Amino acid sequence: MELKECMGAVEAMLFAHAEPVSAGRLAQALDMDEDTVERVLWALQDEYDRPARGLQLLHLEDKWQLATKNTWAEPVKKILDTRRNTPLSQAALEVLAIIAYNQPVSRGFVEQVRGVDSSSTVAKLLEKGLIEEAGRLDLPGHPVSFATTDTFLRTFGLESLTQLPPLHDDELPLEQLAATGEMPENTQPPTEGADG
């Protein structure tokens, strides 16, 4: 692998990994020797040290991490705050409640309860870090399941899921409803509505 190709590969791995990673681990992924990868990392660091660049390559003890330069901290903070602080739509709150009370659940289960396509809402909740993929369910097609995250707990001021408010006492929890396949008349999912 040529030097430029190696630099591109290392840069891509650092970006995708997002957390600090050792030169040894990068070398292993590239099937290269660690010394060569170390040289590539130092060359990349020199490249990022140019004033016009928005990123920097940090050397943290024996690990490396891509990060934004402090110079651009304010605009980076603003764009991240804008993304994180966007209020949740009614659809997002509905999907979040269904997942929180019944996790792990598939998107298909969420859509069955809501009665509308929920793919974009699930994607938004994943982006906000309120839910995460929790493996695959032992159902036909092995659909991806979703569960809430620690971010969900922090956002809603909960220490654990046991602090979620109880569902209506006179109705079965949605998890039991899913098992029996029957829903009380007053809890039928809506047949109309927009996702979002």
Side-chain angles (χ1 to χ4, degrees):
M1 185 181 294
E2 292 181 15
L3 179 64
K4 286 192 175 186
E5 285 180 330
C6 189
M7 286 177 76
V10 168
E11 182 179 44
M13 289 189 296
L14 287 166
F15 177 81
H17 194 269
E19 299 292 326
V21 61
S22 69
R25 188 157 174 211
L26 294 168
Q28 188 178 24
L30 290 170
D31 199 23
M32 298 178 70
D33 66 277
E34 192 172 335
D35 289 338
T36 301
V37 172
E38 280 277 351
R39 285 194 301 275
V40 167
L41 286 162
W42 288 111
L44 269 175
Q45 190 177 55
D46 289 343
E47 180 80 18
Y48 283 118
D49 281 345
R50 293 189 329 212
R53 300 300 298 260
L55 298 176
Q56 61 184 328
L57 183 55
L58 303 175
H59 188 208
L60 311 164
E61 294 182 3
D62 64 334
K63 295 186 178 180
W64 298 82
Q65 182 178 19
L66 269 181
T68 54
K69 287 185 177 176
N70 291 337
T71 308
W72 309 116
E74 195 57 37
V76 168
K77 183 179 183 305
K78 284 180 184 174
I79 193 72
L80 291 176
D81 286 347
T82 300
R83 187 186 70 195
R84 290 184 187 137
N85 293 332
T86 305
L88 293 174
S89 66
Q90 184 62 38
L93 289 171
E94 289 174 9
V95 170
L96 200 51
I98 293 166
I99 293 171
Y101 281 99
N102 301 284
Q103 59 190 301
V105 295
S106 67
R107 194 183 78 219
F109 175 82
V110 171
E111 292 173 352
Q112 182 180 8
V113 172
R114 290 189 67 227
V116 294
D117 178 70
S118 299
S119 54
S120 67
T121 304
V122 168
K124 288 175 189 172
L125 292 172
L126 282 166
E127 181 184 317
K128 287 180 178 286
L130 295 170
I131 62 171
E132 64 186 355
E133 291 186 6
R136 294 196 172 265
L137 296 173
D138 191 19
L139 296 170
H142 300 288
V144 172
S145 65
F146 299 96
T148 56
T149 63
D150 290 341
T151 302
F152 164 80
L153 295 175
R154 283 193 304 273
T155 301
F156 288 91
L158 304 171
E159 290 181 19
S160 73
L161 293 172
T162 59
Q163 292 184 321
L164 284 170
L167 293 172
H168 302 293
D169 294 334
D170 57 339
E171 296 174 3
L172 290 171
L174 291 177
E175 185 177 26
Q176 292 176 7
L177 295 171
T180 64
E182 297 177 6
M183 295 182 75
E185 289 180 28
N186 60 345
T187 61
Q188 288 293 328
T191 54
E192 298 179 11
D195 196 14

